[in-house]
Amino acid sequence: MNLLTVNRATIRFGGLVAVNDVSFEVPQGRLFGLIGPNGAGKTTCFNLITGIYRPTSGDILFDGESIVGKKPHQIAAKGICRTFQNIRLFGDLSALENVVVGGFLRHRSTLPEALALMPRAIHETEGLVEYAMHLLDTFGLAHEANSRSRDLDYGNQRRLEIARAMATKPKLLLLDEPAAGMNPMEKIGLMAQIRRLRDEFGQTILLIEHDMKVVMGVCESIFVLDHGAEIAHGPPEEIRNDPKVIEAYLGEPV
Amino acid sequence: MTTARIWLVRLLSLGAVILFLWLLQTKISPALGFLDNRLIQIGLLYATLAVSLNLINGITGQFSIGHAAFYQIGAYTSAIVSIHYYRTGTIEPWVWLLLMIIVGAVAAAMAGFVVGLPSLRLRGDYLAVVTLGFGEIVRIIIQAQESLGGSYGLTVSASNSDAPLKIAPMWMFAALAIFVIAVCRNLLKTAHGLPFLAVREDELAASAMGVNTTLTKVTAFVLGAAFAGMAGALFSHYEGFITLKQFDMNQSFLILAMVVIGGTGSITGAALAGFFLYLLPESLRDLPDVSGYAVFGFAISVVIVLIVSSKTRRYVRLTSPGAGQTLFMIFGLVGVLGALFMGFWIWSQEVPRMTQFSVSVLAVGLACAMLFTRKRMPNLAGLGWIVLCFGAIIALTYPAIQGLQSNAFTSNLLGEISYRAGNLRFPLFSATLVVVMLTRPQGLLGHHEFSWDWVKKLFGLPHKSKELAG
Ligand SMILES: Nc1ncnc2c1ncn2[C@@H]1O[C@H](COP(=O)(O)OP(=O)(O)O)[C@@H](O)[C@H]1O
Ligand SMILES: [Mg+2]
């Protein structure tokens, strides 16, 4: 079954059509790549899916239900969570607190219970902290748990963003250029980690990546955007030899 | 923690609070004079107000600067209810006052809801303008209402008497401050505080992580306003007479200054700043008169020393060990001894007990922080630098005064001027704010909170590392 269906989505900013009549489907359990040159409209696609922008026309279905017009936090609650291309951590909060914010989405205790410090709220907090520590550990960040997230180095900040998104227990994880700014060694490590998320936890992932080589290595399905419109769609072998893709990435080795 | 242990801790702390309130009411308060009682009571009210504004401004990051309006709504609403419905002798005064505090909280919370709504669309300075405007609207509406006393003020009395109602006991001020601080602390101690902090840090990212930012911001406004409304109700039943001036824009800015100085986001900082920043100008009331020469001579030397010290600061090695650091540490020691001497000497002066007490506490605190903490070497050297600057200011003031007196132009201008020190307290207060903001823009405590683990860490004792911000 398709977890996410984007059906002829279009968004205009004044005269600019940033995403033009784009349709694709992300099946359950798939690692799906979204690529294209700079300014192609990839991030805008994410903003449409997560409810930050509303499509000018078209529909987006998640789990068989339209999510167009829903607020970002409602969409997050339905099970879509993302990372940001330009890292957006909660800078003054610790790495641990950042992850707990993600985990808090699934909380059960009420605000009055917390204000009165009732046992349920305390136990829930303890559970969330434990879960967050576990996630930090998975991403190799356990030793940085109490560091202010703004003070982490670049690669760790990127990993922390993924851990924070994973804490919401998303059905669909959107990663916006998670390897940007990393050196080749770090990139390989991160891609292996993303792969593991899919293989071990069955996580469905939609991955934006500028670096074609990286995407080819991990994704089983790739969608190529250029100037807001689809130019190719298929498994990596097909994409690699597609003349339109080669043209769009003019000069860049594929 | 097991549930049984949580309840045990709860019971013990509740017992400790009740014991403290009882001691305060029956032992400490009667031993102090009227003025000292008043300083403590109003100081506690300001601590409450600062902590409540900190919830909106510091923790949730919504720049609201009309906080006195909520304080005012609580004060006037509860006063009107008392005037109409309270009959002396029918109900215990403190029980009635508790009811009025609830009335004030509800009225202010509704106002907080209304003011919170624009915060959903407005950010930063725009929101600030709206909240400021709201404060003025409330004030003007009351001014135009004769039934609310208009600009003359409103006597809070029972329905069967004309005498002003002054029924707020000391313990209630402390209880309210403790209550508000505890609620805010609890919020940050559990995961429920994190959405508020997340909204402050990055609203868009927070909403993408599933935080309902609308609900969070409005909740912060409603809670913060309700706390201020409680303080207002307590205040009106303490004074027995309320006027518009007690809730004007100056009041809003004073509360805001307390939050900023304490460290935006720190409950501990807001509470301490609220209490002591009120005490500071009040303690300066009885200073002797000073001449215009002295004031301007002092100001000139402060400016000179600030400029010179900021230019030379980077050549001074305060943090790396060496001869320079040792020299400054000696100055620092002089500063500590001087502070301790002040803390001792103040008890021989004719000033309120509260002032004597605070000066001593601050002096001992400074001495402990300087002498026994892990980073004592650079800290002491840093203090030495400040002591040196102070010394330079005092040394420069005298020649500056002489210069002003001998110059025909300035002596014409300043010769006639003499300042009542009581009127200088607010300029002094403002100067303190400026200095704090220049030297520590994040506020005295930054985002830090008081905790025993923090104290242990400071003094190099074994401690457990913190988990959540709380
Ligand atoms: N809020 C906006 N207003 C106007 N133009 C926008 C907005 N967001 C994105 N765009 C434009 O849409 C195009 C696609 O941007 P983006 O999705 O960020 O590309 P990328 O594929 O590099 O992530 C760009 O030309 C960008 O300038
Ligand atoms: Mg992008």
Side-chain angles (χ1 to χ4, degrees):
Chain A
M1 191 198 129
N2 290 328
L3 191 57
L4 179 77
T5 309
V6 177
N7 191 5
R8 310 200 58 181
T10 300
I11 185 167
R12 275 193 198 88
F13 297 113
L16 176 85
V17 189
V19 173
N20 191 0
D21 203 15
V22 165
S23 302
F24 61 86
E25 278 130 26
V26 182
Q28 180 88 48
R30 195 64 67 86
L31 218 168
F32 192 99
L34 184 58
I35 65 173
N38 253 330
K42 306 179 295 292
T43 300
T44 309
C45 276
F46 272 22
N47 288 338
L48 290 175
I49 297 169
T50 53
I52 292 173
Y53 298 146
R54 195 195 165 110
T56 318
S57 67
D59 200 5
I60 300 170
L61 302 171
F62 181 68
D63 248 354
E65 198 186 326
S66 175
I67 51 171
V68 170
K70 289 214 180 343
K71 297 257 178 61
H73 71 91
Q74 292 168 320
I75 291 174
K78 283 202 163 296
I80 302 183
C81 202
R82 69 176 291 180
T83 66
F84 294 88
Q85 181 179 353
N86 47 341
I87 302 173
R88 300 189 79 134
L89 288 165
F90 305 123
D92 263 352
L93 305 189
S94 70
L96 181 68
E97 286 166 334
N98 267 276
V99 180
V100 177
V101 173
F104 185 71
L105 176 59
R106 310 280 170 216
H107 75 283
R108 318 188 80 87
S109 63
T110 61
L111 183 64
E113 275 178 300
L115 296 184
L117 212 61
M118 297 308 265
R120 194 159 85 125
I122 295 177
H123 291 145
E124 188 178 66
T125 302
E126 285 169 348
L128 280 172
V129 167
E130 201 174 308
Y131 174 60
M133 277 309 290
H134 169 72
L135 268 175
L136 283 175
D137 201 29
T138 316
F139 284 85
L141 290 167
H143 62 292
E144 298 279 21
N146 289 320
S147 315
R148 233 173 27 152
S149 61
R150 139 166 336 136
D151 301 336
L152 298 181
D153 67 42
Y154 199 71
N156 281 344
Q157 290 198 3
R158 288 238 173 252
R159 272 196 288 276
L160 179 57
E161 267 220 347
I162 303 178
R164 181 179 70 174
M166 283 300 287
T168 65
K169 303 191 175 156
K171 290 181 192 155
L172 172 65
L173 179 65
L174 310 183
L175 301 175
D176 196 344
E177 306 206 16
M182 289 187 173
N183 63 39
M185 276 306 288
E186 283 181 312
K187 252 183 204 180
I188 293 169
L190 183 73
M191 286 306 146
Q193 204 146 33
I194 290 174
R195 193 73 194 239
R196 266 208 307 281
L197 281 183
R198 209 283 311 269
D199 294 342
E200 286 170 23
F201 303 97
Q203 181 68 50
T204 315
I205 298 172
L206 179 52
L207 172 73
I208 293 181
E209 181 50 60
H210 189 73
D211 190 332
M212 289 270 274
K213 270 177 292 184
V214 172
V215 195
M216 296 292 171
V218 293
C219 297
E220 5 346 86
S221 227
I222 295 178
F223 186 94
V224 191
L225 267 180
D226 191 21
H227 293 104
E230 166 179 348
I231 57 170
H233 188 181
E237 310 78 58
E238 264 176 50
I239 299 296
R240 191 173 317 205
N241 302 317
D242 193 304
K244 279 203 238 151
V245 179
I246 296 173
E247 195 189 335
Y249 272 84
L250 198 67
E252 292 185 33
V254 174
Chain B
M1 258 204 282
T2 62
T3 308
R5 205 175 143 191
I6 293 172
W7 284 112
L8 183 69
V9 171
R10 177 75 45 91
L11 229 60
L12 285 179
S13 28
L14 203 65
V17 166
I18 291 174
L19 182 70
F20 168 73
L21 292 179
W22 178 79
L23 278 175
L24 185 68
Q25 182 67 34
T26 59
K27 306 277 176 240
I28 300 173
S29 170
L32 297 169
F34 172 78
L35 184 59
D36 277 311
N37 268 300
R38 186 176 168 83
L39 286 180
I40 297 176
Q41 285 160 333
I42 306 289
L44 286 170
L45 267 188
Y46 275 110
T48 308
L49 286 168
V51 171
S52 71
L53 179 63
N54 181 54
L55 179 61
I56 303 173
N57 268 25
I59 294 176
T60 322
Q62 303 304 302
F63 198 45
S64 163
I65 57 176
H67 208 55
F70 303 127
Y71 184 39
Q72 179 168 32
I73 287 171
Y76 272 85
T77 312
S78 61
I80 288 293
V81 174
S82 274
I83 289 170
H84 286 293
Y85 298 106
Y86 182 57
R87 301 182 64 80
T88 48
T90 52
I91 181 169
E92 279 287 320
W94 71 269
V95 177
W96 177 258
L97 183 51
L98 273 186
L99 286 176
M100 286 309 99
I101 286 177
I102 295 170
V103 166
V106 171
M110 289 196 287
F113 180 75
V114 173
V115 181
L117 290 179
S119 78
L120 309 180
R121 300 191 158 272
L122 298 174
R123 243 146 273 237
D125 9 3
Y126 300 102
L127 180 61
V129 170
V130 169
T131 52
L132 192 65
F134 172 75
E136 284 306 284
I137 291 172
V138 171
R139 200 177 57 83
I140 288 165
I141 287 178
I142 293 177
Q143 191 165 20
Q145 277 297 315
E146 236 158 80
S147 64
L148 293 175
S151 37
Y152 296 108
L154 183 66
T155 303
V156 189
S157 58
S159 61
N160 56 350
S161 139
D162 281 336
L165 264 187
K166 298 187 177 185
I167 53 175
M170 169 66 101
W171 68 268
M172 208 100 113
F173 289 87
L176 180 63
I178 292 171
F179 169 76
V180 170
I181 291 170
V183 169
C184 289
R185 273 297 275 148
N186 291 351
L187 180 69
L188 291 192
K189 263 195 159 133
T190 62
H192 276 271
L194 285 170
F196 292 83
L197 296 167
V199 166
R200 174 187 79 194
E201 294 295 317
D202 187 331
E203 219 177 300
L204 182 75
S207 70
M209 294 307 122
V211 173
N212 186 343
T213 52
T214 308
L215 185 68
T216 306
K217 287 193 278 187
V218 171
T219 307
F221 265 99
V222 167
L223 278 178
F227 294 152
M230 292 177 172
L234 194 54
F235 179 72
S236 61
H237 290 78
Y238 168 70
E239 293 283 41
F241 182 74
I242 46 179
T243 64
L244 294 171
K245 205 171 166 306
Q246 291 158 326
F247 309 97
D248 61 5
M249 230 190 273
N250 290 340
Q251 191 73 269
S252 288
F253 285 129
L254 185 60
I255 304 169
L256 185 66
M258 288 163 173
V259 172
V260 173
I261 294 235
T264 312
S266 167
I267 301 167
T268 321
L272 289 177
F275 191 77
F276 286 107
L277 281 187
Y278 166 72
L279 225 56
L280 176 70
E282 290 305 313
S283 310
L284 299 176
R285 246 180 223 283
D286 300 322
L287 292 179
D289 287 4
V290 282
S291 71
Y293 294 122
V295 171
F296 281 88
F298 182 71
I300 289 170
S301 63
V302 166
V303 170
I304 293 173
V305 170
L306 274 184
I307 291 172
V308 173
S309 70
S310 67
K311 294 267 185 249
T312 52
R313 170 96 212 211
R314 76 178 109 143
Y315 302 112
V316 184
R317 305 240 165 274
L318 294 176
T319 44
S320 54
Q325 198 190 36
T326 315
L327 183 70
F328 279 103
M329 278 172 60
I330 293 171
F331 279 114
L333 269 180
V334 171
V336 169
L337 288 178
L340 284 177
F341 176 75
M342 274 278 284
F344 188 69
W345 164 85
I346 191 84
W347 289 89
S348 66
Q349 298 308 108
E350 291 263 321
V351 292
R353 270 287 143 71
M354 258 331 279
T355 314
Q356 298 171 328
F357 183 71
S358 331
V359 170
S360 301
V361 166
L362 289 180
V364 172
L366 180 78
C368 286
M370 287 298 151
L371 299 180
F372 303 117
T373 56
R374 273 185 318 145
K375 288 199 243 159
R376 80 187 73 137
M377 307 273 238
N379 281 351
L380 209 53
L383 181 69
W385 172 249
I386 294 172
V387 168
L388 203 66
C389 289
F390 262 109
I393 289 174
I394 291 165
L396 266 178
T397 303
Y398 185 67
I401 292 175
Q402 298 263 299
L404 288 173
Q405 275 170 336
S406 58
N407 182 305
F409 177 66
T410 49
S411 73
N412 272 340
L413 281 179
L414 301 174
E416 304 285 307
I417 301 176
S418 155
Y419 287 96
R420 284 190 43 80
N423 298 335
L424 277 182
R425 60 210 172 94
F426 277 104
L428 268 176
F429 175 69
S430 318
T432 318
L433 298 198
V434 172
V435 170
V436 170
M437 282 298 101
L438 282 177
T439 50
R440 230 182 124 74
Q442 72 274 47
L444 290 174
L445 271 94
H447 284 327
H448 301 289
E449 291 294 350
F450 173 85
S451 76
W452 290 112
D453 278 317
W454 176 76
V455 176
K456 284 186 201 159
K457 190 172 161 196
L458 199 64
F459 289 93
L461 299 169
H463 61 277
K464 66 171 196 268
S465 62
K466 69 163 195 162
E467 292 197 325
L468 291 189

